[in-house]
Amino acid sequence: MDVIVDLQYGDCGKGKVAHYLSHKNSYTHVLRYNGGCNAGHTIFHNGKKFVTHHIPAGVFFGVKSIIGSGCVVDPEQFFREIKMLEEGGVSTTGKIFIAKNAHVITQAHKDEDHNEKKVGTTGRGNGPAYRDKYGRTGVRAENVPELKPYLIDLYDEWFSGKDLNILGEGAQGFGLDIDWGDYPFVTSSHCTTAGALLNGLPAQSVHDVWGVAKIYETYVGSKEFQPKGDVFNRIGDIGEEFGSTTGRRRQTNWMNMQTLERAIRINGVTHVVFSKTDVLRAVGSWAVIDKDKVVEFKSEKAMQDFVLERLATMGVSKEHVFFSDSKETI
Ligand code: IMP
Ligand code: MG
């Protein structure tokens, strides 16, 4: 399995990397391994924009796409998404599966989460669904009749004796991880490489780990995140930083090197993609936060050299680092 993890607060471009890797490698499966329809993956396929919440990017290439046991599924949203894909010309028949032991987001979960304010959730029922899963009062996908045609047993799937090449596609990000994020301003699932393994995969199955970050940070939720300064509003405007699930404006900040370092180490990252370098180029300012201090750079090149040098000290060589300035590819 190759794993895609987000090194910050979600919305770093995992969908784009999934799309790129699915083109480059031949995967037998794409596995969404955590989260629910709180996620919003924006994918440009054949020049068309798609926003998916549940369904992994593999479906755009006819690869078997699985919503894993680490996920929670809203059947209503799931069927809406299938319809949206079909109407957009993407064939889903026989391609989309749900682990039978994934948990279900019910109407009651959505009602409860709908006007949540403390954390600033996406209101999609994610937290209540995971609470009920761990409280042992939840409902599994296998108990929902409409989902029957899509169910899959992950043990049978992974250990069928066939050669598999899996792409693990995460949702949200390290800064929102239930254990490693800034609790309680987190999501309710495991957004790490370890979270991918929770879907019935043995530790030895991990090959490459693609960490995705933005060249600046964004966060959407209730905590105060954006520092004072016009530059941050400009980054948000030029970067079109609005949530793809909720439409909320994302707060922005410079990239925090220590968040990045923690995420790279804990996830065992081998490759890094920095998205949206074109945005800082348009803003004309380059900086990071390193050990609580803002470090400014005179040029894009100076910032990239600084970042590359830091990553090299962490075992990520510069051939494995990509600075992306396109929505469609790395
Ligand atoms: P929840 O996951 O809806 O419970 O929301 C918890 C926190 O995670 C909030 O700050 C959300 O804005 C954030 N969040 C959840 N999913 C995403 C995502 O896909 N991208 C970015 N932020 C997210
Ligand atoms: Mg998103």
Side-chain angles (χ1 to χ4, degrees):
M1 168 172 62
D2 294 334
V3 184
I4 301 174
V5 288
D6 181 302
L7 306 177
Q8 294 161 340
Y9 300 88
D11 308 316
C12 289
K14 289 183 292 294
K16 174 176 73 179
V17 177
H19 200 260
Y20 165 81
L21 287 178
S22 311
H23 258 306
K24 192 164 144 280
N25 305 329
S26 46
Y27 293 106
T28 54
H29 297 79
V30 179
L31 167 75
R32 248 299 287 283
Y33 59 78
N34 73 295
C37 47
N38 47 353
H41 288 185
T42 307
I43 293 171
F44 289 86
H45 182 67
N46 295 339
K48 242 200 198 131
K49 179 177 167 177
F50 291 88
V51 179
T52 59
H53 299 281
H54 273 316
I55 296 173
V59 69
F60 292 99
F61 309 98
V63 176
K64 216 166 179 180
S65 296
I66 302 179
I67 297 169
S69 54
C71 298
V72 286
V73 192
D74 171 357
E76 235 175 57
Q77 175 60 36
F78 174 76
F79 287 112
R80 242 197 319 270
E81 221 165 292
I82 288 189
K83 187 158 168 266
M84 178 273 294
L85 288 167
E86 288 286 346
E87 284 171 2
V90 180
S91 164
T92 62
T93 314
K95 299 292 175 210
I96 297 176
F97 299 89
I98 302 174
K100 65 182 196 186
N101 52 345
H103 271 251
V104 170
I105 301 172
T106 64
Q107 190 58 49
H109 293 147
K110 289 188 274 187
D111 292 344
E112 180 184 341
D113 201 25
H114 183 61
N115 264 322
E116 194 282 343
K117 291 276 183 316
K118 186 181 91 173
V119 174
T121 69
T122 60
R124 300 303 169 100
N126 195 67
Y130 278 109
R131 180 199 57 215
D132 285 354
K133 167 178 171 171
Y134 289 102
R136 293 161 295 176
T137 55
V139 177
R140 279 179 163 181
E142 63 189 338
N143 298 119
V144 179
E146 308 95 271
L147 295 180
K148 279 259 144 62
Y150 299 94
L151 296 180
I152 203 165
D153 182 308
L154 288 182
Y155 177 78
D156 294 345
E157 192 67 21
W158 301 152
F159 299 95
S160 64
K162 292 192 196 114
D163 279 339
L164 305 183
N165 195 12
I166 304 165
L167 178 63
E169 187 189 335
Q172 290 84 49
F174 185 77
L176 296 170
D177 180 79
I178 182 76
D179 290 321
W180 294 100
D182 183 14
Y183 194 90
F185 299 102
V186 295
T187 191
S188 297
S189 66
H190 300 281
C191 314
T192 53
T193 303
L197 294 175
L198 292 173
N199 292 259
L201 290 155
Q204 300 89 326
S205 60
V206 178
H207 193 247
D208 293 340
V209 179
W210 285 73
V212 192
K214 248 182 229 179
I215 201 70
Y216 54 89
E217 287 184 359
T218 61
Y219 160 84
V220 53
S222 291
K223 73 174 172 185
E224 241 180 75
F225 184 80
Q226 184 170 316
K228 295 231 168 352
D230 184 48
V231 68
F232 301 109
N233 291 330
R234 274 178 26 236
I235 292 173
D237 288 342
I238 294 174
E240 296 170 33
E241 295 296 351
F242 294 90
S244 53
T245 297
T246 57
R248 292 178 292 177
R249 190 180 172 96
R250 297 173 183 147
Q251 301 182 63
T252 70
N253 198 353
W254 302 121
M255 175 162 80
N256 187 301
M257 293 307 293
Q258 279 63 53
T259 303
L260 193 73
E261 289 165 10
R262 284 160 71 91
I264 287 175
R265 290 198 169 105
I266 288 177
N267 283 302
V269 166
T270 60
H271 296 67
V272 180
V273 177
F274 291 100
S275 293
K276 293 203 156 177
T277 56
D278 53 318
V279 175
L280 286 196
R281 194 179 303 147
V283 172
S285 299
W286 296 272
V288 298
I289 296 173
D290 194 31
K291 304 185 184 95
D292 300 322
K293 288 204 177 66
V294 177
V295 180
E296 293 184 52
F297 302 96
K298 288 210 161 60
S299 68
E300 182 172 339
K301 167 93 172 40
M303 176 164 169
Q304 292 187 356
D305 287 346
F306 173 90
V307 170
L308 286 172
E309 197 176 309
R310 183 65 59 86
L311 295 198
T313 67
M314 304 179 66
V316 182
S317 64
K318 67 171 190 265
E319 299 74 47
H320 287 181
V321 181
F322 303 81
F323 293 96
S324 165
D325 58 8
S326 151
K327 282 182 183 166
E328 309 189 22
T329 183
I330 71 167

